């Protein structure tokens, strides 16, 4: 037998086609629903998740707390992409084919967030560190073509000062926040790590909600 496929270079196959297959065989791994390992994987993988935390289909009896919040959605996206995963975001249409407004709102909001921050996500690759070594809830990606490292910061730092333990920066390095004009002041610590001053932004000029992205050029590690 020959198992040559004429579409082997254009079709990608998941791991959901037989018993004992998930997480073992396939073009990419999805393992269980909402698989999100939080660390770099040896194989290409996908986080197949749903905006209704309990179901793939539409449910008439959902409660508000059954829906993934925007904070959770952006966090899940950042974590997944930083660890080299693809994300599949499912919504269940009603029996007559409608997407209910709460699903629509989540998807449109994610689109708004990506309009500002998409360059940290699309075409990105995992960096040497997936999340920061010191500050929780900071997830990194890298654009290989431009050697740019991005930090997705899920929590706005107290006093507008963020310490990052992972990146080493050149003297000539620059840091900007996506959607905000100008560069940000940063200071290297004597041993390792940097402190970045977040911009003084008021709600009317905030580029986005839910998470903010630092774009770092001149990272040497
Ligand atoms: C980074 O992520 C890992 C895996 O999810 C976690 O165990 C670790 O605590 C995180 N680091 C920080 C500083 O939060």
């Amino acid at each position: 037998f020959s198992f040559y496929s004429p579409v082997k270079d254009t079709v990608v196959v998941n791991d959901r086609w037989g018993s004992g297959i998930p997480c073992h065989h396939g073009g990419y791994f999805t393992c269980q629903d909402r698989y999100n390992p939080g660390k770099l994987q040896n194989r290409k993988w996908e986080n197949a998740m749903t905006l209704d935390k309990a179901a793939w289909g539409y449910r008439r009896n959902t409660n508000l707390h059954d829906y993934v919040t925007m904070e959770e959605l952006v966090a899940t996206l950042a974590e997944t992409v930083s660890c080299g995963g693809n994300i599949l975001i499912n919504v269940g249409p009603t029996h007559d084919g409608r997407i209910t407004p709460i699903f629509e709102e989540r998807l449109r909001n994610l689109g708004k967030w990506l309009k500002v921050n998409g360059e940290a996500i699309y075409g990105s690759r995992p960096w040497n560190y997936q999340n920061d070594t010191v500050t929780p809830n900071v997830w990194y990606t890298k654009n290989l073509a431009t050697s740019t490292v991005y930090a997705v910061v899920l929590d706005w730092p107290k006093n507008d000062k963020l310490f990052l333990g992972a990146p080493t920066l050149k003297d000539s390095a620059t840091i900007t926040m996506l959607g905000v004009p100008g560069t940000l002041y940063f200071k290297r610590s004597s041993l390792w790590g940097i402190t970045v001053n977040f911009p003084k932004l008021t709600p009317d000029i905030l580029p986005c909600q839910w998470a903010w992205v630092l774009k770092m050029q001149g990272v040497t590690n």
Side-chain angles (χ1 to χ4, degrees), residues 36-40 79 83 130-139:
N36 192 9
K39 50 187 201 272
L40 196 60
E79 201 171 329
C83 298
Q130 278 60 64
N131 57 336
D132 195 55
T133 48
V134 175
T135 303
N137 300 327
V138 175
W139 293 90

Side-chain angles (χ1 to χ4, degrees), residues 27-196:
Y28 63 97
F29 289 174
T30 69
C31 304
Q32 322 87 30
D33 289 353
R34 300 170 199 86
Y35 178 61
N36 192 9
K39 50 187 201 272
L40 196 60
Q41 302 297 299
N42 293 329
R43 292 277 299 260
K44 187 62 194 173
W45 62 279
E46 178 173 270
N47 179 350
M49 52 86 74
T50 57
L51 292 188
D52 171 353
K53 291 176 195 169
W56 287 78
Y58 174 72
R59 294 191 298 149
R60 285 181 296 178
N61 60 341
T62 44
N63 294 302
L64 187 57
H65 65 249
D66 293 327
Y67 293 97
V68 171
T69 64
M70 275 315 297
E71 285 77 9
E72 290 167 336
L73 182 55
V74 170
T76 304
L77 173 72
E79 201 171 329
T80 300
V81 172
S82 296
C83 298
N86 180 47
I87 192 165
L88 180 155
I89 303 170
N90 168 84
V91 300
T94 58
H95 70 282
D96 53 349
R98 287 174 301 111
I99 304 292
T100 52
I102 197 130
F103 285 139
E104 179 182 349
E105 186 246 20
R106 295 295 191 276
L107 295 174
R108 286 195 189 277
N109 279 342
L110 185 61
K112 273 189 215 163
W113 190 85
L114 284 166
K115 205 158 228 170
V116 174
N117 301 300
E119 70 171 82
I121 303 294
Y122 297 114
S124 69
R125 290 289 179 276
W127 182 47
N128 293 338
Y129 295 87
Q130 278 60 64
N131 57 336
D132 195 55
T133 48
V134 175
T135 303
N137 300 327
V138 175
W139 293 90
Y140 294 105
T141 64
K142 181 171 187 176
N143 183 304
L144 297 182
T146 62
S147 294
T148 306
V149 175
Y150 298 90
V152 183
V153 181
L154 302 180
D155 303 323
W156 191 278
K158 296 268 174 285
N159 306 315
D160 303 328
K161 282 189 170 50
L162 180 76
F163 182 80
L164 295 177
T168 306
L169 269 64
K170 280 189 218 169
D171 284 330
S172 60
T174 58
I175 302 182
T176 58
M177 178 180 284
L178 294 183
V180 178
T183 56
L184 302 182
Y185 175 80
F186 70 91
K187 194 166 174 283
R188 282 183 295 183
S189 302
S190 49
L191 290 175
W192 45 266
I194 55 168
T195 302
V196 186

